[in-house]
Amino acid sequence: MIKIENLHKKFKEVEVLKGVNLDVRKGEVVVIIGPSGTGKSTLLRCINYLEIPDKGKIQIGNLNIDVESHDKKDIYSLRKASAMVFQNYNLFRNKTAIENITEALTLVKKMDKSQAKERALTILKQVGMLDKKDYYPSALSGGQQQRVGIGRAMALEPDIMLFDEPTSALDPELVDEVLTVIKKLAAKKMTMVIVTHEMNFARDVADRVIFMSEGKIIEEGTPEKIFFSAENIKTKNFLKQVRL
């Protein structure tokens, strides 16, 4: 489903991604862990061109992009193939929960309004937000806003969903409601790449865990391998610090 080859990204003189290679199979849930500032979120943002990589190749499904030779149509196609769920929800503040979803469907999927509303109601029910469909973001808790954000991404039926620390901005008591929605998507075999600091969640939901450090993938494997028998000293040291 996804193939990333030799991906590089610099911000001024700081090299954030240093030749990342990553394969994700259809239906696989890949969780990326690692210290802050190590390039995890930048990797996600480069996959759908919210950040423009400097070098490398990105493949999603049948779409192939060489970072050094592509056009605007390629970028548009890449963004249609993926959907991002952000740390801070990124909902339209002046639109209700249902409007946040129908807006995406009418603009991106070119659905007519009645069809978009029907789809949005189905999605809101799936994420447990149907009773809040007419609420504006300011009237919703952080967890509720994030569930609408996940619903908006789901509605677009992307090939892959990208989650950039989806619970990091939430109060602790709101984390579980969001993680439950993501677990339901995992059970449906939605292809997902998730950056998270929630280690127990990573262990429960991932088919494969990737540990990143200093702009590189250092180690990867099943949750059992990474959490209980990691081989790299950097992975071991990181997990010692984050374990309860």
Side-chain angles (χ1 to χ4, degrees), residues 125-148:
K125 185 176 181 180
Q126 289 175 358
V127 298
M129 289 296 295
L130 188 57
D131 61 328
K132 305 286 187 184
K133 64 182 177 67
D134 295 320
Y135 283 54
Y136 287 92
S138 60
L140 300 174
S141 71
Q144 290 169 337
Q145 289 183 64
Q146 191 60 293
R147 281 190 279 160
V148 174

Side-chain angles (χ1 to χ4, degrees), residues 28-39:
E28 187 178 25
V29 179
V30 172
V31 174
I32 304 176
I33 63 172
S36 296
T38 200

Side-chain angles (χ1 to χ4, degrees), residues 1-182:
M1 178 59 72
I2 285 187
K3 188 176 183 68
I4 307 294
E5 293 183 60
N6 194 33
L7 200 67
H8 290 257
K9 175 63 181 175
K10 272 186 179 181
F11 292 105
K12 295 184 178 178
E13 297 306 309
V14 179
E15 192 174 18
V16 180
L17 298 179
K18 303 173 182 177
V20 172
N21 296 291
L22 174 64
D23 291 315
V24 181
R25 297 185 297 275
K26 185 176 175 62
E28 187 178 25
V29 179
V30 172
V31 174
I32 304 176
I33 63 172
S36 296
T38 200
K40 305 183 302 296
S41 294
T42 299
L43 174 59
L44 283 198
R45 294 173 70 84
C46 283
I47 288 174
N48 73 346
Y49 257 68
L50 287 173
E51 297 288 355
I52 300 173
D54 299 315
K55 181 181 176 183
K57 295 180 181 179
I58 301 172
Q59 178 184 339
I60 300 181
N62 296 321
L63 178 66
N64 288 279
I65 287 185
D66 187 324
V67 168
E68 296 178 273
S69 59
H70 61 271
D71 56 30
K72 288 183 179 179
K73 184 181 177 183
D74 291 330
I75 295 173
Y76 180 71
S77 298
L78 192 70
R79 288 178 176 162
K80 280 187 72 176
S82 62
M84 176 83 89
V85 177
F86 299 90
Q87 296 179 35
N88 295 312
Y89 331 129
N90 277 35
L91 298 180
F92 298 115
R93 310 302 299 176
N94 62 337
K95 296 188 182 297
T96 62
I98 191 168
E99 288 170 344
N100 263 277
I101 296 176
T102 56
E103 182 89 353
L105 291 171
T106 54
L107 287 177
V108 179
K109 303 283 276 188
K110 307 301 182 187
M111 283 187 182
D112 64 54
K113 289 185 178 180
S114 61
Q115 188 182 9
K117 184 177 180 181
E118 188 177 328
R119 173 76 175 144
L121 289 170
T122 300
I123 291 291
L124 286 168
K125 185 176 181 180
Q126 289 175 358
V127 298
M129 289 296 295
L130 188 57
D131 61 328
K132 305 286 187 184
K133 64 182 177 67
D134 295 320
Y135 283 54
Y136 287 92
S138 60
L140 300 174
S141 71
Q144 290 169 337
Q145 289 183 64
Q146 191 60 293
R147 281 190 279 160
V148 174
I150 292 171
R152 182 174 61 185
M154 289 167 58
L156 296 174
E157 299 178 308
D159 293 325
I160 185 161
M161 289 180 67
L162 308 170
F163 293 82
D164 184 13
E165 298 188 21
T167 61
S168 67
L170 299 178
D171 293 330
E173 66 270 19
L174 301 176
V175 168
D176 280 349
E177 67 184 76
V178 173
L179 297 185
T180 297
V181 172
I182 299 173

